[in-house]
C-alpha cells in the first residue's frame, strides 16, 4: 500500500514529485483495476496535468492523489451515485469536501465505486486481498483502491458501517470522524442525521494526516507523543453475532495493548446506550424515504432499494421523533463512559469478508457508533483463519478526534509489536 504521510514527506524533501506519486498510482491501476474494479470514473491525463501545477509540493496535501466516492459531486468527473439511472450525470459544482481537497493541493484521479445510492445492493468491486470475496460496502471502491495500492488516500461515507466495515474487510485503516467534522454539502444524502464523510489510508498516521490536511484541524500525529492509552472493551449485546475470527481479533488486540502497557478493562454498555442500537434503522429509513423521494417517485431505484423504502414509508413521524429522543439520551449517557478511558475497543465487523458478492456484510457493530456521532477508527493488522484481514474498532468521545486517532495509533503499534 502507498503510505500517504511518508509520500508527503518525500515530496516536501524533493525526493519525489507529485507527478512521481501519481505515476505510482497509475502503475498499480494498470496492473489491478481490471480485476478489482475500484473506479467508477478515471481521468489520469487530467490528473497528470494537475500534478504539474507550480507550488503544489508546498500545499498541505502536496499533490497527493485522493479518490472520491461516487456519491460526492465532482465538477471535473461524472457522478453516477452507483446507479445506472444517473449514468453520465455531470455536476456543475464540486461538493464542499472536494473543494477542500483541491484547496489543500490534492489531485483527484477518479471516482471510486459505491453501491447504489450508498445502500445495500453489492457493487462490481472485488476485494484486493482475495478477489472472490466482497470488499464490503457502500464505500467499496475507496477501500479497495487503497488496499490495492492504487491510491494513498480515498474518501468514503458512512450511514451504518460503510467506512469501518470495508476497511476491516480490505485490511486498511478507516476513519469515521465526529459527525459534521467534514461537510456533507454536495453529497447525495441518504440520512441527514447519520451520513458522515470519512477517510481510508494504509495506516492510522495516514488518515490522521489526510484529515488534518483537508480540514485544517490539528489531527496530524507526526509529532504526537503516542503514549499508553486507557481502553474500555465493549463487546455489546450483539457479541454472539461476531464469529470466532472477530472474537479472536479483539482478544489479540486486548493482549497486545496490555503487553504494551495500556490500561485495558471490560465494561458493559448502559441500557440507555444499548437501546439506541435498535432505533438506528428507524432514523436511517425514515430519512431515506424522504431523501430519495424523487428517485422513488420517478422509478429510478432497484427493486431492492425500492422495496426497502416502501417498508420505510410505514414509519410514522411520532416513531421517528421518539427514536431521535432515544438517541439523544444515549449520547448523553455515552459521554459518561469516557471519564475513565480514552477510547472504547470493540468489533469492527462480524468477521472476515464474506465469500461471494451476494452481500456487502453487516453493519451491526458500527451503526450504534454512527448514530452516536462519535469518531471511530478501524485498525488493521490482524488476520482471520482464512488469512483475510479482520480489523478492530476504536471508538472515541464526540469531538475528541485527535485523542481517538492517537489511541488507534497506539493500538496499531501494539499489534505490530506482537
Amino acid at each position: 500500500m502507498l503510505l500517504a504521510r511518508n509520500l508527503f514527506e518525500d515530496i516536501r524533501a524533493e525526493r519525489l514529485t507529485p507527478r512521481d506519486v501519481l505515476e505510482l498510482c497509475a502503475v498499480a491501476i494498470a496492473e489491478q483495476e481490471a480485476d478489482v474494479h475500484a473506479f467508477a470514473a478515471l481521468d489520469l491525463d487530467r490528473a497528470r496535468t494537475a500534478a504539474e501545477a507550480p507550488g503544489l509540493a508546498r500545499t498541505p496535501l502536496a499533490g497527493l492523489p485522493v479518490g472520491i466516492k461516487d456519491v460526492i459531486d465532482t465538477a471535473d468527473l461524472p457522478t453516477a451515485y452507483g446507479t445506472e439511472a444517473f449514468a453520465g450525470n455531470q455536476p456543475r459544482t464540486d461538493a464542499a469536501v472536494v473543494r477542500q481537497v483541491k484547496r489543500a493541493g490534492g489531485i483527484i484521479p477518479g471516482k471510486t465505486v459505491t453501491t447504489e445510492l450508498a445502500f445495500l445492493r453489492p457493487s462490481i468491486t472485488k476485494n484486493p486481498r482475495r478477489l472472490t470475496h466482497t470488499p464490503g460496502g457502500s464505500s467499496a471502491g475507496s477501500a479497495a483502491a487503497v488496499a490495492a495500492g492504487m491510491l494513498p488516500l480515498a474518501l468514503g461515507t458512512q450511514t451504518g458501517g460503510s467506512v469501518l466495515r470495508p476497511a476491516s474487510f480490505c485490511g486498511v485503516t478507516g476513519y469515521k470522524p465526529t459527525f459534521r467534522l467534514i461537510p456533507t454539502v454536495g453529497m447525495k444524502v441518504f440520512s441527514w442525521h447519520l451520513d458522515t464523510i470519512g477517510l481510508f489510508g494504509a495506516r492510522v498516521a495516514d488518515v490522521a494526516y489526510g484529515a488534518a490536511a483537508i480540514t485544517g484541524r490539528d489531527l496530524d500525529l507526526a509529532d504526537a507523543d503516542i503514549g499508553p492509552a486507557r481502553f474500555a472493551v465493549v463487546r455489546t449485546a450483539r457479541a454472539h453475532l461476531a464469529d470466532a475470527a472477530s472474537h479472536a481479533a479483539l482478544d489479540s488486540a486486548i493482549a497486545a495493548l496490555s503487553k504494551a502497557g495500556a490500561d485495558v478493562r471490560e465494561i458493559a454498555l448502559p441500557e440507555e446506550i444499548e437501546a439506541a442500537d435498535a432505533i438506528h434503522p428507524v432514523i436511517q429509513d425514515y430519512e431515506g424515504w424522504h431523501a430519495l423521494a424523487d428517485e422513488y417517485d420517478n422509478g429510478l431505484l432497484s427493486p431492492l432499494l425500492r422495496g426497502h423504502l416502501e417498508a420505510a414509508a410505514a414509519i410514522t413521524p411520532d416513531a421517528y421523533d421518539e427514536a431521535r429522543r432515544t438517541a439523544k439520551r444515549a449520547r448523553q449517557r455515552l459521554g459518561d463512559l469516557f471519564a475513565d478511558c480514552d477510547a472504547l475497543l470493540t468489533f469492527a465487523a462480524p468477521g472476515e469478508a464474506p465469500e461471494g458478492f451476494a452481500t456487502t456484510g453487516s453493519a451491526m457493530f458500527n451503526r450504534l457508533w454512527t448514530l452516536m456521532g462519535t469518531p471511530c477508527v478501524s485498525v488493521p493488522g490482524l488476520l482471520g483463519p482464512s488469512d483475510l484481514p479482520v480489523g478492530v474498532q476504536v471508538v472515541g468521545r464526540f469531538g475528541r478526534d485527535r485523542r481517538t486517532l492517537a489511541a488507534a495509533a497506539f493500538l496499531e503499534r501494539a499489534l505490530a509489536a506482537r
Side-chain angles (χ1 to χ4, degrees):
M1 291 188 286
L2 299 174
L3 308 181
R5 193 66 179 72
N6 292 26
L7 292 171
F8 163 76
E9 292 172 356
D10 286 340
I11 292 172
R12 280 291 175 88
E14 299 184 350
R15 292 186 290 268
L16 291 173
T17 67
R19 178 65 182 267
D20 292 335
V21 176
L22 181 62
E23 294 307 327
L24 290 175
C25 296
V27 169
I29 290 168
E31 291 176 346
Q32 299 189 66
E33 173 60 8
D35 293 324
V36 175
H37 302 294
F39 289 94
L42 189 64
D43 192 341
L44 288 172
D45 288 338
R46 181 190 293 272
R48 288 183 174 106
T49 299
E52 299 292 349
L56 200 57
R58 307 310 301 174
T59 61
L61 281 172
L64 290 185
V66 181
I68 307 294
K69 183 178 177 178
D70 198 32
V71 293
I72 302 172
D73 285 352
T74 45
D76 298 333
L77 291 162
T79 304
Y81 311 123
T83 172
E84 298 84 356
F86 285 91
N89 174 53
Q90 183 60 66
R92 294 187 63 184
T93 60
D94 285 328
V97 68
V98 173
R99 186 52 52 179
Q100 284 182 304
V101 169
K102 290 181 176 179
R103 286 176 170 176
I107 302 298
I108 300 173
K111 304 295 289 294
T112 55
V113 170
T114 177
T115 60
E116 176 197 19
L117 294 162
F119 191 59
L120 297 177
R121 188 175 69 165
S123 70
I124 62 171
T125 305
K126 308 295 188 294
N127 191 325
R129 304 302 183 192
R130 192 168 298 158
L131 295 173
T132 53
H133 289 242
T134 180
S138 59
S139 305
S142 291
V146 170
M150 294 191 276
L151 291 170
L153 292 169
L155 298 185
T157 69
Q158 179 159 309
T159 309
S162 298
V163 170
L164 282 298
R165 185 174 74 258
S168 179
F169 287 172
C170 293
V172 301
T173 301
Y175 165 44
K176 182 200 76 67
T178 291
F179 183 62
R180 291 180 177 167
L181 187 144
I182 297 177
T184 55
V185 177
M187 167 188 161
K188 186 64 173 175
V189 169
F190 193 102
S191 171
W192 55 87
H193 276 106
L194 297 171
D195 287 359
T196 309
I197 294 175
L199 286 89
F200 294 92
R203 307 164 303 178
V204 176
D206 299 314
V207 296
Y209 154 71
I214 291 168
T215 67
R217 295 175 179 271
D218 182 21
L219 299 172
D220 191 8
L221 301 177
D223 299 319
D225 180 15
I226 310 297
R230 301 170 299 163
F231 289 88
V233 179
V234 174
R235 297 185 187 267
T236 79
R238 295 157 295 287
H240 63 287
L241 298 174
D243 68 14
S246 200
H247 278 282
L250 188 58
D251 290 341
S252 294
I254 293 169
L257 285 170
S258 298
K259 185 176 181 180
D263 177 10
V264 186
R265 58 191 178 88
E266 295 214 22
I267 65 170
L269 286 179
E271 182 179 342
E272 300 96 321
I273 300 175
E274 286 285 14
D277 180 75
I279 58 90
H280 172 281
V282 176
I283 294 174
Q284 172 191 273
D285 295 347
Y286 179 90
E287 295 183 352
W289 167 244
H290 293 284
L292 302 179
D294 189 79
E295 289 82 1
Y296 178 88
D297 289 350
N298 287 290
L300 302 180
L301 305 176
S302 70
L304 175 66
L305 182 48
R306 185 175 184 84
H308 189 88
L309 293 183
E310 286 170 351
I315 300 171
T316 65
D318 285 346
Y320 170 69
D321 291 343
E322 179 56 34
R324 290 185 60 198
R325 285 190 286 270
T326 299
K328 183 177 180 179
R329 289 192 294 269
R331 292 188 192 104
Q332 293 171 337
R333 188 72 178 87
L334 180 61
D336 298 338
L337 298 187
F338 292 97
D340 300 316
C341 69
D342 299 305
L344 308 181
L345 183 69
T346 189
F347 305 107
E352 297 174 306
E355 185 173 6
F357 306 99
T359 175
T360 61
S362 172
M364 70 179 74
F365 294 114
N366 314 119
R367 64 188 187 185
L368 173 61
W369 313 116
T370 307
L371 178 64
M372 295 297 96
T374 55
C376 305
V377 184
S378 180
V379 179
L382 294 162
L383 297 174
S386 301
D387 288 332
L388 285 171
V390 181
V392 285
Q393 183 175 191
V394 173
V395 179
R397 187 170 191 165
F398 190 97
R400 300 294 191 268
D401 289 63
R402 182 179 173 84
R403 179 180 294 180
T404 305
L405 289 162
F410 183 82
L411 170 59
E412 182 182 59
R413 293 182 185 181
L415 291 175
R418 289 165 60 244

